[in-house]
Amino acid sequence: MKKKAIFWGNCHNTGMVNFMQKSKQFEEVYEVHQYANWMVMQGAHTIDHDHVKTADLFLYQPLQARHGEYSTDSSVKDSIGSLLKPSCKKVSFPYTYYSAFWPISQAAHYASCKRWYGSEVIEGLRENLTDEDIISLYDADKIDWEYSRRHAETISILRQKEEVTDIKISSFIEENMGKRNLFLIPQHPTSLVFLEKANQALQILGMDKLPESVISSDNECKLEDSTYEISSGRWPLHTTAINHFGMKYTDSYGCTQHGNPIDAKQFYRSLLVYYMNMFSRGQSPLDQRQFEENYIAKGIEHDK
């Protein structure tokens, strides 16, 4: 009889399950039960507490105590974390986001979101320039999108998440920055990142790593772009980002809308205009980092 493995997390759960199940060793030992924490929290799905109580392996993204019964914090009465039996092996992995590859974009899963990455760049320019002047600078590729600062900020947030997780991915991201395709949109890593996280989990379990040859595509799990609904599930790469990060994979990137290539320069120009229409001068966008920082599991002990 196989042991029971519970996966508890957001859409990244799908990537973890997909690659863990490619391991013959893992498949021979565990039967998988996958739960989308956000769907359970919204009441769209339910979780079988008997599954949790009898789980032999719990792979999860940490949720703070404030989430009550859905928290992974074992000190919270009747929480998911408190239901696990003492012998259950726990392996935690971070919410993996990266927001510095794109000049300007919204920070959450819907097009009316008032949190924008790159907003601080535009607001800084607005101190001395008209919106028309800023658009002219954009057209000439003369806006400094401050990619280095934004990279440092988003990696710092990720490392804070990793303080309470067994799996660490930030170093892998930095080592492969520009050389390998790592993200489709800020919220969705590519298959390569999921494979690295799955391999770390397999090693924790004493199992062999999987080779990169198991990857069939960079979006093997078919994660969707729920912000701008780009059908290929990824945002286009702007020339300024390609040059800054020295991206080597742009020829095979394949950002399309219903099979048609997307003009990156026009795409981000339209977002810039949309931003300016959403926030007239004197109005301030919401904190763009809050979406990422919401997933820092403050107060949770690193509990193996």
Side-chain angles (χ1 to χ4, degrees):
M1 186 176 185
K2 289 186 178 182
K3 295 181 178 180
K4 189 176 298 178
I6 301 289
F7 286 75
W8 176 252
N10 67 359
C11 53
H12 296 190
N13 234 2
T14 302
M16 290 295 288
V17 169
N18 177 71
F19 284 102
M20 298 276 301
Q21 289 188 311
K22 291 191 179 195
S23 165
K24 184 177 179 181
Q25 290 172 303
F26 184 82
E27 273 286 273
E28 287 177 346
V29 174
Y30 293 102
E31 65 176 32
V32 168
H33 301 269
Q34 179 182 351
Y35 294 98
N37 55 17
W38 63 279
M39 294 289 283
V40 175
M41 292 164 71
Q42 290 179 356
H45 291 170
T46 58
I47 184 167
D48 188 330
H49 285 188
D50 287 335
H51 279 172
V52 178
K53 291 175 181 178
T54 58
D56 301 290
L57 175 63
F58 186 57
L59 289 103
Y60 68 101
Q61 292 170 305
L63 277 179
Q64 304 97 318
R66 65 184 175 85
H67 293 288
E69 64 182 296
Y70 308 112
S71 173
T72 56
D73 191 330
S74 59
S75 68
V76 177
K77 184 180 179 181
D78 297 327
S79 67
I80 296 295
S82 71
L83 297 178
L84 299 168
K85 62 187 182 183
S87 61
C88 178
K89 175 71 174 176
K90 291 179 279 188
V91 180
S92 53
F93 58 99
Y95 295 88
T96 307
Y97 295 79
Y98 186 85
S99 57
F101 278 155
W102 305 272
I104 187 166
S105 64
Q106 283 151 296
H109 303 292
Y110 48 93
S112 60
C113 174
K114 295 185 182 295
R115 305 185 192 280
W116 286 73
Y117 295 124
S119 61
E120 67 278 26
V121 175
I122 301 306
E123 293 308 310
L125 291 172
R126 275 179 157 179
E127 292 178 5
N128 299 300
L129 299 171
T130 67
D131 286 358
E132 291 75 15
D133 289 338
I134 295 171
I135 292 172
S136 294
L137 284 178
Y138 175 84
D139 290 340
D141 284 341
K142 291 185 177 180
I143 293 178
D144 177 3
W145 290 104
E146 303 179 20
Y147 291 118
S148 293
R149 174 188 60 76
R150 293 164 63 186
H151 165 79
E153 287 180 357
T154 194
I155 286 293
S156 175
I157 292 170
L158 177 54
R159 287 200 166 115
Q160 289 178 68
K161 298 170 190 172
E162 291 176 339
E163 290 176 4
V164 296
T165 61
D166 301 293
I167 293 171
K168 321 286 185 184
I169 196 67
S170 56
S171 293
F172 178 84
I173 290 171
E174 293 215 285
E175 289 166 6
N176 290 278
M177 185 71 58
K179 296 181 289 187
R180 313 290 298 275
N181 186 10
L182 302 175
F183 286 87
L184 306 165
I185 63 174
Q187 299 91 342
H188 292 161
T190 62
S191 297
L192 183 65
V193 175
F194 284 127
L195 175 63
E196 171 62 20
K197 295 202 296 187
N199 272 336
Q200 289 186 34
L202 290 170
Q203 288 189 297
I204 289 171
L205 297 175
M207 298 178 179
D208 297 334
K209 293 172 64 175
L210 296 166
E212 285 188 21
S213 58
V214 302
I215 297 175
S216 63
S217 73
D218 59 8
N219 188 12
E220 190 170 310
C221 299
K222 296 181 172 56
L223 299 176
E224 297 180 350
D225 169 25
S226 54
T227 304
Y228 302 119
E229 298 182 348
I230 295 176
S231 59
S232 59
R234 69 201 70 202
W235 295 348
L237 297 171
H238 194 273
T239 300
T240 55
I242 293 171
N243 293 338
H244 178 85
F245 291 103
M247 294 176 178
K248 309 297 184 186
Y249 50 85
T250 55
D251 289 345
S252 60
Y253 187 68
C255 181
T256 60
Q257 181 70 316
H258 306 303
N260 299 311
I262 293 176
D263 184 321
K265 189 161 187 174
Q266 184 57 43
F267 178 79
Y268 292 107
R269 189 184 197 277
S270 66
L271 287 185
L272 175 58
V273 172
Y274 182 37
Y275 172 87
M276 290 173 169
N277 289 333
M278 182 178 284
F279 301 104
S280 60
R281 287 171 179 270
Q283 290 184 308
S284 297
L286 299 176
D287 179 9
Q288 77 276 12
R289 293 291 173 202
Q290 185 174 341
F291 183 77
E292 286 182 270
E293 291 173 345
N294 274 345
Y295 295 96
I296 296 174
K298 296 176 182 177
I300 294 181
E301 295 296 325
H302 187 178
D303 183 5
K304 295 182 181 180

